[in-house]
Amino acid sequence: MIAEAHPSSWYVATARGLVEHPPLSGTVSADVCVVGAGYTGLSAALHLAGRGYSVVLLEAQRVGWGASGRNGGQIGTGLRRDEAWLEARFGRDTATDLFRLAEESKALVHALITKHEIDCEPGAGQLVCAAKPAHLDALKRRAEKLAVDYDYPHQQCVSKAGLADMLGSSAYCGASLDTRAAYLHPLNYALGLARACSAAGVRIFERSAVSGYGGSGPVTLKTAGGEVQARFMVLACNAHLDELEPRLATTIMPINNFLVATAPLGDKRCRELIRDPVVVHDTLFVLNYFRLSAEGRLIFGGGESYRRRFPVDIGSFVRPHLLRIFPQLGDVSIDYAWGGRLAITMNRMPHLGRLGPDIYFAQGYSGHGVAMATLAGQLIAEAVSGSVERFDVFARLAPPPFPGGT
């Protein structure tokens, strides 16, 4: 894989602390080698270093180069599957454990931002808009269930009339407002985690794709410029796993998602689009998600593809999705357009586990990666240290492979 700079995006244009780390050269050793400098790898490295392990972090491209630096920055409540589905599939006790861990993931993100003074523009509030009446009924049932069964009274349903006062779109028939959901600038969050890693003694090497690995106690990982010998290894590649580990590649499907940032709209027009400082997404299968930036741009995500290459003109690809929600923006130019690759699993549950006693992995967050990947890194650090109970809550839920393999 050829190493690339961060592709152009509004996130890169507003990045804080975008620094280069050297490629790996020669042979180094560590207690743990983490592969992938997205949220999972950065969090794992940071928490392992905090437990006294020496850590090397290898990144094929740049810190936050993948979905961690390109996503919508939304931090929702729970997992991709709702609590009723989890109860039916795994039982009430496991569903409760999963909800508790999902809530911890939100708290962990906020704690890391505060502790390490990460300037990533965090905010609170998420509006989930129902594309169909049946979807609104489902949102109401979930809000009621969360309040009664999970002690989470922070979602309130909004009627179509009420939503008309909050959102300048007639595309939806109501919504659910979650006041404890959150959002942030995703690339700046990743860059802040990387700074915290460096301060904790983690050695970060960019442009250091792992070409292969082998052995056990230590594991030896090879790159074009050298090798790392480590007692433990963490695979945190997610949608960019490629051919590095075939045993994991069949359990995830990489998909491409696309975003644009409009020209600044001005305060009046911004408030006509989204009245309150919240993030928004809808309930469509290929969902739309959007928010306003501090300088008044609409950051809008919409559309998917399943090919290795992105569309030649991402702005033209996303614009029809944007105009279906906000037709009044037909006169607005798009200043930035970019795409990112995420990974989904068959059951849409995060996939955490081990490949033998020395290799840990986490992947397949299925659109809930900001907080869950951060938590996964912490759970991996706990498991490496010998405390596996929380890690195994997810490890026991391994998803089935996709038909047809990779």
Side-chain angles (χ1 to χ4, degrees):
M1 181 183 292
I2 299 174
E4 301 176 11
H6 281 276
S8 175
S9 72
W10 178 77
Y11 295 141
V12 173
T14 54
R16 298 185 176 97
L18 191 60
V19 300
E20 291 194 37
H21 299 272
L24 179 67
S25 178
T27 300
V28 300
S29 61
D31 295 325
V32 187
C33 182
V34 178
V35 183
Y39 301 140
T40 304
L42 291 165
S43 176
L46 181 60
H47 285 99
L48 284 161
R51 289 173 174 265
Y53 291 92
S54 62
V55 183
V56 165
L57 177 55
L58 300 178
E59 166 55 43
Q61 306 287 353
R62 302 290 302 279
V63 167
W65 183 89
S68 295
R70 310 192 201 189
N71 66 82
Q74 300 200 19
I75 302 171
T77 296
L79 298 164
R80 178 66 179 270
R81 296 292 193 178
D82 68 21
E83 292 68 34
W85 187 94
L86 294 172
E87 289 179 9
R89 183 63 60 93
F90 304 119
R92 177 65 183 272
D93 289 346
T94 296
T96 300
D97 288 342
L98 290 169
F99 185 81
R100 174 179 52 81
L101 287 168
E103 281 297 284
E104 287 188 24
S105 75
K106 292 157 62 177
L108 177 61
V109 171
H110 291 300
L112 291 173
I113 290 171
T114 300
K115 178 179 180 179
H116 301 290
E117 299 180 339
I118 300 175
D119 187 2
C120 60
E121 305 166 28
Q126 181 187 61
L127 197 60
V128 181
C129 294
K132 302 177 182 179
H135 296 178
L136 183 59
D137 291 341
L139 291 175
K140 291 177 180 177
R141 287 195 300 271
R142 187 186 183 212
E144 292 168 357
K145 186 171 188 61
L146 286 177
V148 173
D149 295 340
Y150 289 85
D151 193 27
Y152 189 87
H154 308 296
Q155 289 188 356
Q156 62 186 66
C157 285
V158 181
S159 67
K160 184 171 184 176
L163 185 60
D165 291 334
M166 303 171 69
L167 193 68
S169 175
S170 59
Y172 305 116
C173 54
S176 173
L177 177 63
D178 190 328
T179 57
R180 293 290 181 88
Y183 57 92
L184 46 68
H185 186 301
L187 178 57
N188 282 337
Y189 175 56
L191 296 174
L193 291 178
R195 287 193 296 275
C197 283
S198 294
V202 175
R203 289 170 286 172
I204 301 175
F205 298 100
E206 295 179 321
R207 300 184 174 91
S208 300
V210 176
S211 57
Y213 67 89
S216 178
V219 180
T220 299
L221 301 90
K222 296 185 179 297
T223 74
E227 66 178 39
V228 179
Q229 295 181 347
R231 174 68 182 87
F232 297 99
M233 173 181 168
V234 177
L235 281 168
C237 306
N238 202 34
H240 297 275
L241 181 68
D242 294 327
E243 299 177 357
L244 181 58
E245 181 43 78
R247 290 175 290 178
L248 297 181
T250 59
T251 62
I252 55 174
M253 184 172 77
I255 62 174
N256 304 319
N257 211 249
F258 305 101
L259 298 94
V260 298
T262 68
L265 302 173
D267 186 68
K268 180 177 182 295
R269 204 168 189 183
C270 282
R271 297 308 148 210
E272 289 172 350
L273 292 182
I274 307 175
R275 185 191 67 190
D276 304 317
V278 299
V279 290
V280 187
H281 75 78
D282 61 29
T283 57
L284 291 170
F285 182 75
V286 179
L287 57 82
N288 301 292
Y289 51 97
F290 42 94
R291 72 177 179 94
L292 294 167
S293 72
E295 74 270 41
R297 299 180 189 273
L298 180 68
I299 313 300
F300 184 95
E304 289 181 353
S305 75
Y306 311 97
R307 300 177 179 178
R308 288 190 173 272
R309 294 186 180 277
F310 289 172
V312 174
D313 186 346
I314 294 175
S316 294
F317 181 86
V318 176
R319 183 179 282 277
H321 299 276
L322 186 156
L323 294 181
R324 274 194 287 272
I325 307 304
F326 296 115
Q328 65 269 43
L329 297 184
D331 64 324
V332 174
S333 64
I334 290 174
D335 285 357
Y336 300 92
W338 66 98
R341 182 168 297 156
L342 62 132
I344 62 172
T345 60
M346 277 283 285
N347 62 7
R348 302 303 191 269
M349 295 294 291
H351 186 201
L352 280 65
R354 310 168 185 78
L355 297 174
D358 305 327
I359 301 172
Y360 293 79
F361 67 86
Q363 60 181 16
Y365 303 106
S366 302
H368 278 247
V370 178
M372 288 310 304
T374 303
L375 178 71
Q378 183 186 57
L379 298 183
I380 287 172
E382 293 175 6
V384 169
S385 301
S387 179
V388 300
E389 291 82 6
R390 285 153 43 95
F391 179 88
D392 281 347
V393 172
F394 286 102
R396 287 191 293 266
L397 310 180
F402 278 91
T406 58

